[in-house]
Amino acid sequence: MTVPINLLPYDIESAKNKLVVVTGSNSGIGKEIAKSFVDYGAKVIIACRNEQSALEAKEYIGLNSEFIYLDLTDVDAIYKFVDEVHTRYGNIDILINNAGVLRPPFTRTKSGLELTFAVNYIGYYSLSLLMIPLMKNVLGSRVINMSSISQYSVKYINWDNINSDKNYNKNQIYALTNLFRMMFTIELNKRLSNSNSSIVSLACHPGVSITNIVRNLPKFISNPIMVKLLNRFLFQPPDKASKPALAASLNSNIHGGDFVGLDTRKQYKGNPAIVVPNELVFDKELRQKLWDISVEITGIDLN
C-alpha cells in the first residue's frame, strides 16, 4: 500500500556542501548512495570496517569522500568513530544507517549480542543517538534508517528471544531487526520532536537488490550471471535501489517518521514513494519497550 506522493525528482541541489555519513558504503547499495551524494556536491564519510574495500570504493565514489573506521558490533568503536567525526568536522548534515548483515552463521559479539541483532539494530540505535549532538545545530539534518520489506512478515514480537537466547532463526531475526529499525525511527522522531529538535528521523527500504549481502545465501544466487538477470528482470540493481535513501535524504515533501519504499504492490522494484510500514510499529507500548531494552543494553539514551 502506497500513499500517492511522488518523491521524484528530489532536490539534488540541496545536497551541495552537506556532510553525509553512510555506513556500509564500501559496497552494494551504500556505495551507490555515497557516489550519488558526491556527484551531487556533498562530502561523504565511508563508514565501515574493511579499510581495503573502503579505499577501493573511494575510487568509484569520488575524491570528495573519506574512510573512517566503524565497527557496529563494538560500542567502543562506535564512540571512537563519533569522536573522530566530531574532531575532524564538528557537525554532520545527514546520517544514513545502511550497513547490515543477512543470515550469517550464528555468532556472538564480544558483548554477548547475536550478530544480526547487534549490527542490524543495536548498532543503528547506538550510532544514531551518539551522532545526534553533531546534528542538533545543523538546519535540516536527518537520520535515515535503511529497513527492508522483510519487516512485513513479522506478526508478533517474542521479546524473550530477540537476542536469539532460545534459538537462532536466521530469517526471523533479520525480519525482526528490520522491524525494530522502523520502530526506532518513529520513536526517535517523536522524542526529537518533543524536545523541539529540528532533526528528523526517517526510514526507507531499497526493494530487493542482489548485492554482496547475499553471501550467506545459496551459491547459485550470487552467481554473477544470475545476479545480473535477477536484478534486471525481477528485482533492481544497486544504483536504482539507492533511490529511496536519496529521496528520504533530499525530498522536501517528506516528514519525520515517514517510510520511503517503492510505488509497486510487492515493492521488489520501482520508484520511491511513501509507504505504510508493518502495523506493529504504531503500537506505542511496543516502541517504548524496545527503547527501554535498547537503553539497558547500550547504556545510551537520548539526552
Side-chain angles (χ1 to χ4, degrees):
M1 177 179 178
T2 60
V3 178
I5 297 178
N6 185 2
L7 298 182
L8 291 177
Y10 39 80
D11 185 8
I12 291 174
E13 291 296 315
S14 69
K16 285 187 176 179
N17 301 317
K18 279 183 164 44
L19 179 60
V20 185
V21 172
V22 187
T23 68
S25 46
N26 56 314
S27 64
I29 296 169
K31 185 167 72 172
E32 295 296 337
I33 294 169
K35 177 171 174 53
S36 292
F37 268 109
V38 168
D39 289 347
Y40 299 161
K43 169 81 176 183
V44 170
I45 295 174
I46 304 169
C48 65
R49 291 187 302 171
N50 190 316
E51 181 176 7
Q52 180 178 344
S53 66
L55 295 179
E56 291 172 357
K58 178 179 169 61
E59 294 185 10
Y60 173 76
I61 293 167
L63 293 176
N64 207 21
S65 62
E66 178 182 5
F67 164 67
I68 300 180
Y69 177 84
L70 173 65
D71 181 355
L72 289 174
T73 70
D74 183 350
V75 69
D76 291 334
I78 297 174
Y79 273 102
K80 185 176 180 181
F81 171 83
V82 175
D83 286 344
E84 188 162 354
V85 173
H86 183 252
T87 298
R88 294 192 193 184
Y89 297 104
N91 299 310
I92 71 162
D93 295 272
I94 300 172
L95 168 63
I96 301 181
N97 288 307
N98 162 80
V101 295
L102 172 65
R103 300 179 79 239
F106 180 75
T107 308
R108 291 272 180 211
T109 68
K110 68 179 184 180
S111 60
L113 299 178
E114 184 275 318
L115 183 62
T116 308
F117 181 54
V119 174
N120 289 9
Y121 173 64
I122 292 298
Y124 276 51
Y125 173 90
S126 302
L127 180 61
S128 298
L129 266 58
L130 292 175
M131 293 292 275
I132 290 296
L134 280 64
M135 308 174 76
K136 64 182 181 181
N137 296 322
V138 179
L139 185 63
S141 56
R142 299 184 182 189
V143 176
I144 314 294
N145 293 310
M146 187 73 78
S147 186
S148 162
I149 57 174
S150 67
Q151 67 165 272
Y152 292 115
S153 68
V154 181
K155 305 305 178 186
Y156 73 98
I157 300 172
N158 180 0
W159 293 105
D160 293 331
N161 198 47
I162 62 172
N163 192 36
S164 301
D165 292 318
K166 294 186 175 181
N167 61 77
Y168 175 54
N169 185 303
K170 298 177 180 180
N171 293 327
Q172 287 181 3
I173 190 60
Y174 179 76
L176 185 63
T177 52
N178 277 287
L179 175 70
F180 282 173
R181 292 173 182 175
M182 189 68 228
M183 293 169 65
F184 168 61
T185 295
I186 293 176
E187 188 64 22
L188 175 60
N189 191 73
K190 184 193 77 171
R191 292 171 184 245
L192 289 169
S193 179
N194 288 345
S195 66
N196 296 315
S197 173
S198 64
I199 306 168
V200 297
S201 171
L202 307 106
C204 63
H205 80 76
V208 181
S209 184
I210 307 299
T211 67
N212 67 347
I213 197 173
V214 304
R215 58 186 173 272
N216 295 310
L217 296 180
K219 295 297 183 183
F220 78 91
I221 294 179
S222 58
N223 178 283
I225 296 176
M226 181 62 69
V227 168
K228 186 174 182 179
L229 290 174
L230 288 173
N231 280 343
R232 180 176 181 182
F233 295 107
L234 185 59
F235 307 136
Q236 55 188 6
D239 60 336
K240 186 74 182 292
S242 71
K243 301 302 182 185
L246 296 169
S249 302
L250 301 173
N251 193 286
S252 59
N253 292 323
I254 298 177
H255 302 91
D258 281 347
F259 185 33
V260 181
L262 303 173
D263 61 353
T264 52
R265 187 174 65 86
K266 292 186 176 182
Q267 298 191 65
Y268 290 171
K269 60 181 180 179
N271 294 313
I274 296 176
V275 300
V276 178
N278 186 318
E279 62 182 8
L280 292 175
V281 307
F282 301 113
D283 188 317
K284 295 179 182 179
E285 292 184 1
L286 292 179
R287 295 202 312 268
Q288 180 65 55
K289 186 174 182 66
L290 177 63
W291 191 279
D292 291 343
I293 290 172
S294 304
V295 173
E296 182 180 354
I297 289 173
T298 65
I300 300 170
D301 202 348
L302 186 64
N303 298 320

